[in-house]
Amino acid sequence: MKQVAIIGAGPSGMYVAEALLKRDPDCEVTLIERLVSPYGLLRGGVAPDHQKMKSVGVYYERILTQFQDRCHYMGNVSVGTQVALTDLQAWFDAVVIATGASEDRALGIEGESLAGVYPATQFVSWVNGHPDGMGHTFDWTARQVVVIGQGNVAVDVVRLLAKPVSSLRSTDIPESRLAVLATSQIETIYLMGRRGPVQAAFTELELQELGHIDGVTLGFNPLDFELGEACQTELTLPDSNKARKNWATLGTLRQCSPSSGGRSIQIRFFESPVRILGTEHVTGVEFERSMLDGPPGQQRAVGTGVRHVIPADMVFKSVGYRSIPLPGCPFDTKRHVVPNVNGQVVDENGVAVTGLFVAGWAKRGPSGVLGSNKPCGVQTAEALLASLGGEASKPRGGFSQWLLEKGVKWVTFNQWKQVDAYEIQTGQALGKPREKLIAIQDMLGLLR
Ligand SMILES: Cc1cc2nc3c(=O)[nH]c(=O)nc-3n(C[C@H](O)[C@H](O)[C@H](O)COP(=O)(O)OP(=O)(O)OC[C@H]3O[C@@H](n4cnc5c(N)ncnc54)[C@H](O)[C@@H]3O)c2cc1C
Ligand SMILES: NC(=O)c1ccc[n+]([C@@H]2O[C@H](COP(=O)([O-])OP(=O)(O)OC[C@H]3O[C@@H](n4cnc5c(N)ncnc54)[C@H](OP(=O)(O)O)[C@@H]3O)[C@@H](O)[C@H]2O)c1
């Protein structure tokens, strides 16, 4: 039987596994995951107040149970630290890298390292109870917050900061985080984009939600909505569906009459961050008013020279995620992805690396929703099976035996299900979907 290792049990790893197992009955898959819990950003990134989306986990779970004879989960094993990529290459006929993109992209402007300035990735991990978020603290005395970037992650951050804690109690945000959020002094949150309303990266449904938060008002700058000719043309392009929906939604949201008091979300366009101000702690962000340049559909932000400052006590940078290299694997340091052709990894000369594949955000970069990883995973699986042909050269069970001898203890899928059941049970008593165990040690302690 062909032996395939997939590094990372996030959505892309799960879709590659599914495609391999369905297409080839002679293929056995081992998913190696650094956390105890599977499903990557579905558990640790997707917003905790979007529980409907989290139900995709049922689909992933079915892959592990339906193919349990040929699909093995090894949680709590980190490739690159506990196990080397070369070890996997020795024990498996093919290896798939599905490690996602866990780091934040830097803005590259002055003041980024001031106290009170945080990558959105940190807040996302913290609020989702991801073990990586354990050490993070934020300044909850802040009254005015600036969020830089207008993707859906930025919208998630703004919404979770704006919502009253009472409306978050039925989510799976850990109790310890809710207690801290309840102390938040936030009054105003700015959601800042460098381009216009037609180019915004967020999507309609996520935008709409901002207009329906109890006690929260929205504010805009009317000047942002004077569309130039190129933007009007852009709205008519066949692939501008998202832009048209956003534009219509913004029109509706602008008509809502603001109620007094409570928190406010200020959505601003055409504002490029120039530098973050402060000596030790952030005091504000200097923005340059921008305008658009280029043909409809490809317009970029360029500066107008007009600058102003928005005072801020806390700043979140939400300008995208970034993959990190896996030791021993080729890496494109400009695009921050694993270089590949249709999922097969290639070296710096473009030559295919035998038996090494990549999928998901590590392959395409940090964009796309959960479902985007399915066709991507299928492409990788098909390239892998085509390259292996009918051949299998590695012994069944060789890797797990070797790990045992090395003293590495992994968490099986059934053990993860024990943790899962415990979280759900504890959550039910609190009226929420689950109460997450955050520390890996606590999960392992429960299993002991
Ligand atoms: C904050 C946020 C919210 C999102 N919300 C939504 C949403 O609501 N709806 C939607 O459709 N999409 C959403 N997305 C997009 C979606 O989460 C991604 O498309 C998807 O998670 C990418 O899958 P992936 O498997 O490539 O990466 P990941 O989900 O990051 O999975 C990678 C996995 O690899 C593991 N790993 C990493 N390094 C190693 C290693 N060295 N050894 C072993 N394991 C390793 C990680 O622990 C992780 O489990 C969101 C993304 C973010 C960032
Ligand atoms: N509910 C959901 O479905 C959901 C939730 C969260 C995430 N996701 C998905 O996950 C993926 C990642 O989301 P994301 O929000 O991290 O990334 P994203 O969608 O790529 O958005 C990045 C944002 O950062 C801005 N930006 C980049 N560099 C900048 C700079 N130097 N200065 C100012 N602004 C800058 C971008 O502006 P420009 O457009 O001008 O470059 C854009 O507004 C997306 O595909 C997203 O749809 C989905």
Side-chain angles (χ1 to χ4, degrees):
M1 204 170 269
K2 286 159 229 163
Q3 299 298 317
V4 179
I6 299 177
I7 312 173
S12 61
M14 296 311 302
Y15 289 123
V16 174
E18 180 188 36
L20 289 171
L21 295 160
K22 279 189 172 165
R23 276 166 178 69
D24 189 348
D26 192 39
C27 186
E28 183 163 29
V29 169
T30 303
L31 285 146
I32 303 167
E33 166 58 50
R34 80 177 170 100
L35 301 181
V36 169
S37 55
Y39 317 144
L41 285 168
L42 180 66
R43 176 177 162 104
V46 168
D49 58 342
H50 284 177
Q51 285 299 314
K52 228 173 161 184
M53 188 56 68
K54 302 252 182 196
S55 63
V56 176
V58 174
Y59 183 88
Y60 299 150
E61 185 170 322
R62 213 174 293 140
I63 299 169
L64 282 151
T65 50
Q66 187 187 349
F67 296 101
Q68 55 181 312
D69 295 348
R70 293 189 289 128
C71 186
H72 314 291
Y73 179 68
M74 285 186 159
N76 200 32
V77 179
S78 178
V79 178
T81 47
Q82 287 165 289
V83 174
L85 178 60
T86 46
D87 297 327
L88 299 185
Q89 287 170 311
W91 286 111
F92 292 89
D93 295 302
V95 178
V96 182
I97 293 152
T99 45
S102 54
E103 301 280 302
D104 62 296
R105 272 192 57 221
L107 274 167
I109 60 174
E110 193 185 319
E112 259 185 282
S113 52
L114 285 170
V117 180
Y118 310 101
T121 47
Q122 285 187 7
F123 177 73
V124 166
S125 298
W126 179 84
V127 82
N128 271 297
H130 189 295
D132 289 357
M134 274 182 56
H136 301 318
T137 51
F138 305 91
D139 181 2
W140 298 108
T141 63
R143 291 184 188 273
Q144 185 140 303
V145 179
V146 166
V147 177
I148 300 173
Q150 283 186 334
N152 278 332
V153 172
V155 174
D156 280 353
V157 171
V158 167
R159 190 182 66 254
L160 291 166
L161 292 176
K163 276 191 170 178
V165 169
S166 55
S167 72
L168 296 173
R169 295 218 175 272
S170 57
T171 70
D172 64 0
I173 297 178
E175 290 296 299
S176 57
R177 274 51 176 153
L178 288 173
V180 174
L181 284 171
T183 68
S184 167
Q185 303 289 308
I186 292 175
E187 291 166 0
T188 310
I189 308 163
Y190 281 86
L191 175 61
M192 306 296 290
R194 62 179 169 181
R195 295 194 288 161
V198 174
Q199 293 76 29
F202 50 61
T203 43
E204 179 206 10
L205 290 179
E206 285 65 27
L207 175 62
Q208 265 173 11
E209 272 186 89
L210 295 184
H212 296 102
I213 306 175
D214 270 353
V216 175
T217 58
L218 292 187
F220 299 91
N221 177 356
L223 294 177
D224 292 349
F225 294 87
E226 292 171 4
L227 290 194
E229 213 173 293
C231 285
Q232 300 204 19
T233 308
E234 193 161 323
L235 279 177
T236 65
L237 298 177
D239 59 356
S240 289
N241 212 17
K242 180 180 92 158
R244 279 190 289 277
K245 286 182 174 171
N246 277 346
W247 179 250
T249 304
L250 283 165
T252 311
L253 292 175
R254 287 176 66 207
Q255 277 163 17
C256 299
S257 50
S259 56
S260 55
R263 285 179 177 154
S264 111
I265 297 173
Q266 298 292 322
I267 304 182
R268 296 286 185 275
F269 299 95
F270 301 111
E271 302 278 7
S272 278
V274 178
R275 61 189 172 124
I276 301 177
L277 307 170
T279 42
E280 280 174 18
H281 195 282
V282 60
T283 55
V285 184
E286 184 172 286
F287 286 94
E288 180 173 7
R289 192 79 187 144
S290 55
M291 57 184 189
L292 296 172
D293 184 41
Q298 295 165 42
Q299 299 189 82
R300 291 179 315 112
V302 291
T304 60
V306 179
R307 292 183 176 194
H308 69 113
V309 171
I310 296 190
D313 315 303
M314 179 150 73
V315 171
F316 288 97
K317 304 176 288 173
S318 184
V319 295
Y321 279 59
R322 188 169 61 88
S323 293
I324 51 172
L326 186 68
C329 178
F331 193 71
D332 180 335
T333 49
K334 282 204 181 103
R335 293 182 56 232
H336 296 282
V337 292
V338 176
N340 69 93
V341 175
N342 295 333
Q344 174 145 27
V345 177
V346 296
D347 67 13
E348 65 277 16
N349 301 313
V351 178
V353 181
T354 307
L356 194 56
F357 296 83
V358 61
W361 278 18
K363 170 186 175 187
R364 312 189 311 275
S367 75
V369 291
L370 297 166
S372 322
N373 299 295
K374 186 163 185 170
C376 169
V378 167
Q379 184 191 52
T380 297
E382 286 180 345
L384 187 157
L385 291 174
S387 87
L388 278 188
E391 281 173 44
S393 58
K394 309 292 180 182
R396 243 191 137 175
F399 178 66
S400 46
Q401 186 56 39
W402 176 79
L403 264 194
L404 271 180
E405 284 160 17
K406 221 170 121 61
V408 177
K409 288 198 181 119
W410 65 91
V411 169
T412 63
F413 180 64
N414 283 339
Q415 287 177 313
W416 154 248
K417 286 302 293 172
Q418 286 177 44
V419 176
D420 188 39
Y422 174 83
E423 287 188 346
I424 293 171
Q425 196 186 10
T426 325
Q428 267 167 2
L430 295 161
K432 54 202 285 194
R434 66 173 66 234
E435 177 58 14
K436 285 179 175 173
L437 288 176
I438 303 173
I440 287 181
Q441 282 317 316
D442 290 346
M443 294 190 180
L444 297 179
L446 181 80
L447 293 174
R448 272 199 295 273

